[in-house]
Amino acid sequence: MPPLSTSLLPAAAAEPVTSRPQRVILPAVLFLTPLLLAPGLFFYFDVTPKVVILLAGAAAVLWFGWSGRMTASPTARWLVLLLAAQAASLVISTLLSTNPALSVAGTNWRRFGLLVQIALLIYTYGLVRAGAAVEPLLTALAASGVLAGLYGIAQYFGWDPWNPPQAYHVGEGIWTIVRPPGTLGHAGYFSVYLLHAAAAGLALAWTASATWLRRLGLAAAALDVAAILLSGTRGALVGLAAGLFVLAWRRGPFASPRRMWAVAAAALGLFAFYYSPPGQLLRARTRWYVEDTQGGGRLTLWADTFRMGASHWLFGYGPETFSSQYPRFQSEALARQFPDRYFESPHNIFLDAFAAQGLPGLLVLLLLTGVALGALSGAASRPLGDALGAGFVAALVANQFVAFTAPTALVFYATAALAVLASPGRSAAPVPALPQPLRRPLAVALAVAAFSFAWTDFWLERTRLSLESSQVGQALQDYQHLRRWHWPGLDTDLWYSRALMAAAPGTPVVWQQALAAAIEATRRSEERPNAYYNLAAFHAVQNDFAGTEQSLRSAIEWAPNWYKSHWMLAQVLQQAGRLPEAAAEARRASQLNGGQHPEVAATREAFQQK
């Protein structure tokens, strides 16, 4: 990493007060967080390392503090005030959450609860408060983009030493598509991150003080755009088009012969690749676009989510509660269209904020976006503002089709911080400082959370490996180790109960452990309908018809339009001799299934023939 420089900062924008450790910490977090994977070490190997780095990085930023008095432009002060408002909104929504423990810890699939979001806000505040130089941060983001882009391209061509390729290949034969997840676990989040990294690379290529940095920037921009194209992610492709439009508008039309030849060569190369044998995966992806013009029912999902948010419009349901609360609001039309689809988020950053934090959280995010766009449009360095502004617009468009994860939110907020750091320093004024008595206690809390998350996930992976090797006794011991430093709200019980029953269903000790975990999952799982459905299966094995019925009715209460609970309840009621009720549940299950599973329709037909 090059030494910190303020060469890209306007003279009056900030008085650099970065401590020496922070000069390493701030770029390191931006470089490492999107990249880290730990297969074999962690159960959620593409999530946990990232949030641990972010939590530990924010703790270190707080611990080492700042020296001196920071002054910055009014834009920077606005950003700091919005970060404080976002923190207040998150705390209030968590305190009033339908599941406070889950809102603090976050869901398994992204771990983006109060703790991680506060760490993100502290890191962003640290960038602004410390007057961090722009070039090292651009270098960190571009360098991570080079590595991630290369990995995504390799995944497209079938090379992946860490993830099983079948996990991100969909379909059969010539219509198989590939969605390279890169280092972020999913092609959608990976592509959003690549848009930011490509923009940082372009900014570095246009403004860097050294030749090798300019070359690094060009490599990042080229590789990341290529990886985005190969991902076949519609939202990212629309975002890329929007970013290129903004870039052309800001920099002037591509009228020079050199630019025209470059654009023509790129278009010709893409055309040739698309129709070449390696381009078959992209052609198959185009076919999927044509067959699924609504993007997996997103319009209906957004309408349902808006209804959900409007019902708790003041403070929302709490961070990370979407997956447990949304099934109550899922429309029957969406349930019939995708009866087996698990909607973990609204696939839109603004609707996600509205559902989680209510109107205040939505307004803060909108204002923060506006501040970043305004700062980029008026950046003191025109090339820097143009490149980052185009990337920010591109990612903003793509983020309308996905929710934030820790890495994508990090690059979003970091770009906002870079924008205000590069904004003119007219009327410089002091930046509010975090009160000294709060810094180190909060740093300790974040460090403890990082350790707890890592500890829990490490022992969860040890439990999985023990069960896979049929060492059930060892798995029981491993899970007890997990409990020792288990952060409240981390959802491990639902998986554990199912894994135990799959490994040794006839062992009494295992049965008791699995049943206890199944019961506990109904109290705090992020997938409450699934938890009750799972518990119903345990009661059914015991021939406990009352317990089975009660669990299934609870699952229906949490997810009224999920066909599986109605279908299983129909069979339970039939065995109990309550045929009219059973027939009604069978009809309901068939309606909600949308004709996609013949066995569900067969159950309904069996009742009709009686």
Side-chain angles (χ1 to χ4, degrees):
M1 206 67 68
L4 282 181
S5 166
T6 57
S7 60
L8 296 179
L9 285 174
E15 298 172 11
V17 289
T18 318
S19 64
R20 181 167 296 178
Q22 286 182 342
R23 298 176 190 178
V24 176
I25 295 165
L26 292 170
V29 169
L30 196 56
F31 174 78
L32 290 173
T33 301
L35 288 180
L36 283 186
L37 297 170
L41 182 65
F42 294 128
F43 187 90
Y44 299 102
F45 65 88
D46 56 351
V47 175
T48 300
K50 295 174 173 58
V51 299
V52 167
I53 284 293
L54 183 54
L55 287 165
V61 167
L62 284 172
W63 187 265
F64 292 107
W66 301 270
S67 60
R69 179 173 176 269
M70 168 68 180
T71 60
S73 66
T75 308
R77 287 176 54 80
W78 268 110
L79 179 61
V80 170
L81 291 174
L82 287 171
L83 294 176
Q86 181 72 294
S89 172
L90 286 165
V91 170
I92 293 171
S93 294
T94 298
L95 291 173
L96 300 176
S97 171
T98 53
N99 190 338
L102 178 61
S103 289
V104 170
T107 51
N108 291 327
W109 74 272
R110 67 172 175 174
R111 196 69 67 215
F112 199 56
L114 176 68
L115 287 168
V116 172
Q117 293 199 54
I118 290 296
L120 171 65
L121 298 176
I122 288 170
Y123 174 82
T124 309
Y125 171 78
L127 291 176
V128 179
R129 178 67 178 81
V134 173
E135 188 170 279
L137 299 172
L138 292 177
T139 303
L141 186 50
S144 71
V146 166
L147 296 176
L150 285 171
Y151 183 40
I153 293 170
Q155 285 178 323
Y156 178 90
F157 287 103
W159 183 85
D160 192 339
W162 298 295
N163 289 299
Q166 61 269 24
Y168 49 87
H169 284 72
V170 184
E172 298 178 356
I174 63 170
W175 300 122
T176 299
I177 65 169
V178 60
R179 304 292 310 284
T183 56
L184 270 72
H186 187 277
Y189 312 122
F190 182 50
S191 298
V192 169
Y193 154 71
L194 290 175
L195 288 168
H196 281 287
L202 189 60
L204 198 64
W206 283 349
T207 63
S209 56
T211 301
W212 74 270
L213 287 177
R214 293 194 292 273
R215 290 174 178 172
L216 174 67
L218 285 173
L223 289 170
D224 292 343
V225 168
I228 291 166
L229 294 173
L230 294 178
S231 77
T233 303
R234 278 178 286 194
L237 293 176
V238 174
L240 181 61
L244 290 174
F245 175 81
V246 169
L247 196 62
W249 174 53
R250 293 281 296 176
R251 303 294 291 176
F254 294 103
S256 70
R258 183 177 178 181
R259 291 179 180 178
M260 292 294 291
W261 279 112
V263 170
L268 182 61
L270 180 60
F271 181 84
F273 177 83
Y274 183 82
Y275 285 102
S276 70
Q280 172 58 40
L281 293 169
L282 285 182
R283 296 197 297 275
R285 181 62 176 154
T286 303
R287 178 175 177 264
W288 281 58
Y289 294 159
V290 174
E291 293 181 349
D292 180 21
T293 56
Q294 294 188 3
R298 273 188 174 83
L299 294 178
T300 309
L301 173 63
W302 292 343
D304 292 348
T305 303
F306 184 80
R307 245 184 336 108
M308 173 183 169
S311 67
H312 272 210
W313 65 270
L314 188 54
F315 296 116
Y317 284 87
E320 291 284 70
T321 57
F322 183 87
S323 56
S324 62
Q325 294 296 324
Y326 171 72
R328 296 179 187 268
F329 296 90
Q330 183 180 9
S331 62
E332 188 172 323
L334 190 60
R336 286 198 303 268
Q337 187 179 4
F338 300 102
D340 295 308
R341 181 75 57 88
Y342 169 62
F343 292 100
E344 80 291 341
S345 79
H347 294 261
N348 180 287
I349 59 170
F350 294 117
L351 285 174
D352 195 23
F354 185 43
Q357 300 167 246
L359 191 58
L362 172 60
L363 290 177
V364 170
L365 185 57
L366 287 169
L367 288 171
L368 192 146
T369 301
V371 166
L373 288 171
L376 288 167
S377 66
S381 169
R382 177 68 182 269
L384 179 69
D386 290 347
L388 291 182
F392 192 82
V393 169
L396 185 63
V397 170
N399 272 319
Q400 304 316 299
F401 305 95
V402 292
F404 274 146
T405 61
T408 61
L410 173 64
V411 291
F412 180 91
Y413 276 82
T415 302
L418 287 170
V420 302
L421 286 171
S423 63
R426 295 183 299 272
S427 305
V431 171
L434 194 67
Q436 182 67 31
L438 289 180
R439 290 183 194 171
R440 295 207 166 179
L442 187 53
V444 170
L446 294 177
V448 168
F451 171 78
S452 178
F453 286 6
W455 175 277
T456 299
D457 213 27
F458 172 83
W459 285 107
L460 193 63
E461 176 66 359
R462 302 279 77 70
T463 303
R464 183 187 70 82
L465 293 173
S466 296
L467 289 174
E468 283 189 354
S469 59
S470 301
Q471 299 177 14
V472 179
Q474 183 62 49
L476 297 177
Q477 294 180 27
D478 292 338
Y479 200 72
Q480 291 308 309
H481 282 297
L482 177 153
R483 288 288 187 193
R484 190 171 301 169
W485 293 97
H486 183 270
W487 189 279
L490 293 180
D491 178 18
T492 58
D493 294 306
L494 181 57
W495 173 87
Y496 185 55
S497 69
R498 289 172 169 171
L500 281 180
M501 288 306 295
T507 307
V509 174
V510 172
W511 169 265
Q512 291 300 325
Q513 291 277 344
L515 177 60
I519 293 171
E520 190 63 29
T522 62
R523 298 180 182 136
R524 61 184 185 185
S525 174
E526 65 194 59
E527 302 177 52
R528 206 65 67 87
N530 268 329
Y532 276 109
Y533 187 84
N534 179 62
L535 181 59
F538 278 84
H539 288 312
V541 170
Q542 294 177 306
N543 291 322
D544 179 359
F545 288 102
T548 305
E549 179 184 358
Q550 180 57 47
S551 296
L552 289 172
R553 292 197 182 278
S554 295
I556 291 170
E557 182 181 351
W558 280 92
N561 291 328
W562 188 32
Y563 80 95
K564 272 193 176 181
S565 301
H566 292 281
W567 183 41
M568 187 174 178
L569 181 58
Q571 298 171 66
V572 170
L573 293 173
Q574 181 186 22
Q575 292 185 36
R578 295 156 61 180
L579 297 183
E581 295 176 73
E585 292 296 333
R587 286 193 300 272
R588 185 61 177 156
S590 182
Q591 291 169 358
L592 294 173
N593 183 249
Q596 298 196 33
H597 295 85
E599 60 272 22
V600 178
T603 303
R604 177 181 180 177
E605 291 170 2
F607 279 103
Q608 290 176 338
Q609 295 172 2
K610 292 181 180 180

